[in-house]
Amino acid sequence: MADGTRIGHIAAIEGSIVDVRYEAALPAIGTRLVTLSDPAMTIEVASLPDRETARGLVLNPSSELRLGLPVRDTGQGLSVPVGEALLGRMVNLFGEAIDGKPPPGDMPRRPIRGRPVPLARRRAEGEIFETGIKAIDLLSPLERGGKAGLFGGAGVGKTVLVTEMIHNMVAEYHGVSLFCGIGERCREAEELYREMQDAGVLDRTVMVFGQMNETPGVRFRVGHAALTIAEYFRDDLRRDVLVLIDNIYRFVQAGAEVSGLLGRIPSRVGYQPTLGTELAELEERICSTDRGGMTSIQAVYVPADDFTDPAATHTFAHLSASVVLSRKKASEGLYPAIDPLKSFSKMLTPGAVSARHYRIARAVRNTLAEYEDLKDIIAMLGLEELSEKDRATVRRARQIERFLTQPFFSTERMTGMKGRFVPLEDTLGSCERILGDAFRDRPESAFYMIGTVDELAGRKAEGDAA
């Protein structure tokens, strides 16, 4: 057993990986080591290459890192402070304040490497988590107590969509919200902090960041630290927790960097051979229990828009809803750029949603699928060569496509358009009227960036006045 006083010495340094030589028993994998330097550096043991050497990740390297530096074995793993004092604060992997305010104060600490809840204690809620975003609530509704992923390549609007969900849901949400930033840009963290402050929801939110400029070990572990804090609110304080993660791909990427630094042979497309296990260790901790609910919304970057990439396919398997963002939709100016035919939710079944919701969602999806099939014919022969029935399908599909666009609160300053929160019932009613040809005489452009079809009357009046 480590008694917290055993000392080793750094024998090799390669990037952010060090080998620590011990003459007595080695520390266990996952143990936290601390250098006897100023400032002290934290090392997490990642492997034991031989009987005398512990190989570890330096989580906060400084210029003091050198060969021969003494290292103390703490005998414990990485831990993070937990408590209500974290509400309204922005902290890093170690629980240290990074928002420029005084430290949160003394709090109990918990190890970040927690175990998933046993199946017997898990609870399935089976309710819809309304977001106020038409395309999501209609075609890929989120499950309360489930996990939803926002998939898309670079620049298609994942972070904007997460920010809008924070605006729409956190204000209405009665529990605690936890935002975890994994490998994201510093400016995004600062902007998000200010937006949550302006929305008046910061006092019910904890923000945990391991940013892009930090070592791969920090980016790899910050998700576990955030979930430890979330589990405290769920299990000890019996609160519902909304966990927002941006970006899960950066967690996978950090794991690949760590794996490469440790000298492991890469697997498919250069990813670490332990990709599936590492992702499951994180994802399986997100669940609801008899003590409280935990709902998660995660942004997932898709490299080169390739949805067969191992990082994307492994993430898909853990989710109850997948919202796929399309570069083609974004290029057409259809925001949010959600692909209605590729997005999926296990909630969109007759038993989970109302019969009316299921019927309208199926009709919308069928109309858009038929339009997709007709696009090649339209490109070659023109719209005039279609039958009357197909022309009506195309008109309805184009109206629905534009109706599913929506001005966001989080982009008001950039677009000049006032954001809209659209209740599910209003979305269903509007789609029902479009499918019933109630607006056959209206141009498709009239449906662009509106809340409900009731706004069409106002637009017509404006057009007549002009």
Side-chain angles (χ1 to χ4, degrees):
M1 286 289 289
D3 58 5
T5 59
R6 288 189 308 144
I7 306 296
H9 293 84
I10 294 179
I13 302 172
E14 190 170 346
S16 58
I17 294 285
V18 295
D19 284 356
V20 183
R21 191 65 54 86
Y22 282 91
E23 294 180 4
L26 289 174
I29 289 175
T31 302
R32 175 172 166 263
L33 311 178
V34 179
T35 61
L36 301 180
S37 60
D38 187 20
M41 289 167 273
T42 299
I43 301 167
E44 185 188 27
V45 178
S47 67
L48 304 172
D50 60 52
R51 291 173 180 271
E52 296 178 344
T53 308
R55 183 166 291 164
L57 301 162
V58 186
L59 300 178
N60 52 348
S62 75
S63 57
E64 290 297 309
L65 188 65
R66 64 183 186 276
L67 294 174
L69 185 67
V71 177
R72 180 170 61 87
D73 174 11
T74 66
Q76 298 175 327
L78 293 172
S79 63
V80 69
V82 294
E84 290 190 270
L86 290 174
L87 291 171
R89 302 305 302 269
M90 187 190 288
V91 298
N92 63 12
L93 167 65
F94 307 106
E96 299 164 346
I98 54 172
D99 52 9
K101 296 178 183 175
D106 289 337
M107 284 182 285
R109 299 185 75 91
R110 294 258 176 102
I112 67 169
R113 298 180 78 166
R115 292 184 177 180
V117 176
L119 290 176
R121 280 189 50 220
R122 296 188 179 216
R123 173 168 56 97
E125 301 199 21
E127 292 176 37
I128 288 183
F129 203 152
E130 202 167 311
T131 65
I133 299 168
K134 295 180 287 188
I136 292 176
D137 290 343
L138 175 67
L139 296 171
S140 52
L142 309 190
E143 179 188 15
R144 187 178 290 275
K147 287 172 275 199
L150 310 177
F151 291 83
V156 293
K158 296 183 300 300
T159 301
V160 171
L161 204 50
V162 168
T163 308
E164 185 69 7
M165 285 184 174
I166 289 170
H167 182 282
N168 289 1
M169 297 160 74
V170 172
E172 304 295 322
Y173 194 67
H174 299 299
V176 172
S177 303
L178 186 141
F179 183 89
C180 177
I182 305 177
E184 289 302 291
R185 300 162 191 85
C186 298
R187 81 172 159 76
E188 291 175 344
E190 190 268 336
E191 285 170 4
L192 186 68
Y193 183 80
R194 278 192 288 107
E195 283 170 9
M196 297 189 89
Q197 205 167 28
D198 295 344
V201 296
L202 192 61
D203 60 339
R204 291 186 283 114
T205 306
V206 183
M207 305 175 80
V208 187
F209 285 96
Q211 288 156 197
M212 191 176 273
N213 60 314
E214 301 195 63
T215 62
V218 168
R219 287 180 272 123
F220 188 54
R221 287 295 176 212
V222 71
H224 293 280
L227 288 182
T228 299
I229 297 169
E231 286 165 351
Y232 170 80
F233 283 104
R234 181 194 67 192
D235 298 336
D236 291 53
L237 301 186
R238 295 176 177 267
R239 307 273 292 274
D240 287 346
V241 186
L242 174 62
V243 178
L244 302 127
I245 303 175
D246 190 5
N247 188 305
I248 281 291
Y249 176 76
R250 304 294 177 202
F251 166 77
V252 174
Q253 192 178 44
E257 288 181 52
V258 167
S259 182
L261 287 167
L262 293 172
R264 294 177 188 145
I265 298 171
S267 182
R268 243 182 98 204
V269 202
Y271 287 109
Q272 64 273 40
T274 51
L275 166 60
T277 307
E278 289 168 358
L279 192 59
E281 282 176 356
L282 187 75
E283 294 281 5
E284 289 304 303
R285 291 175 66 181
I286 304 171
C287 67
S288 297
T289 71
D290 49 2
R291 290 173 175 265
M294 190 185 289
T295 306
S296 176
I297 297 166
Q298 310 168 9
V300 187
Y301 168 69
V302 181
D305 295 334
D306 178 12
F307 285 88
T308 64
D309 187 272
T313 55
H314 277 84
T315 308
F316 269 122
H318 292 281
L319 305 174
S320 55
S322 302
V323 178
V324 176
L325 299 175
S326 157
R327 191 169 301 281
K328 187 168 179 289
K329 296 272 183 199
S331 67
E332 293 170 3
L334 300 174
Y335 289 102
I338 294 169
D339 189 324
L341 300 179
K342 289 182 181 173
S343 299
F344 160 82
S345 171
K346 74 168 195 178
M347 293 296 287
L348 199 59
T349 55
V353 298
S354 67
R356 179 175 179 240
H357 183 171
Y358 182 69
R359 174 175 52 79
I360 293 169
R362 277 197 66 177
V364 165
R365 197 168 289 219
N366 288 345
T367 302
L368 294 173
E370 285 176 33
Y371 174 46
E372 198 65 33
D373 291 340
L374 291 168
K375 278 183 178 177
D376 288 342
I377 298 172
I378 295 167
M380 288 187 290
L381 304 176
L383 191 62
E384 297 74 22
E385 296 302 314
L386 297 179
S387 66
E388 191 63 41
K389 181 187 172 196
D390 285 346
R391 275 201 293 251
T393 299
V394 170
R395 183 187 67 246
R396 285 192 290 269
R398 285 181 173 172
Q399 287 180 345
I400 287 169
E401 262 189 345
R402 280 145 188 80
F403 172 71
L404 291 179
T405 62
Q406 188 168 342
F408 280 175
F409 293 98
S410 54
T411 58
E412 276 182 5
R413 283 176 292 183
M414 289 172 274
T415 63
M417 288 186 277
K418 186 169 168 49
R420 309 282 201 285
F421 179 101
V422 185
L424 175 59
E425 280 303 311
D426 292 352
T427 301
L428 294 176
S430 297
C431 288
E432 202 167 33
R433 292 173 69 187
I434 294 170
L435 291 167
D437 281 340
F439 308 102
R440 68 177 68 192
D441 58 330
R442 300 303 300 270
E444 61 198 46
S445 58
F447 295 83
Y448 183 68
M449 288 294 172
I450 62 172
T452 66
V453 291
D454 295 337
E455 295 178 31
L456 289 173
R459 287 201 172 185
K460 190 172 192 304
E462 286 173 18
D464 293 343

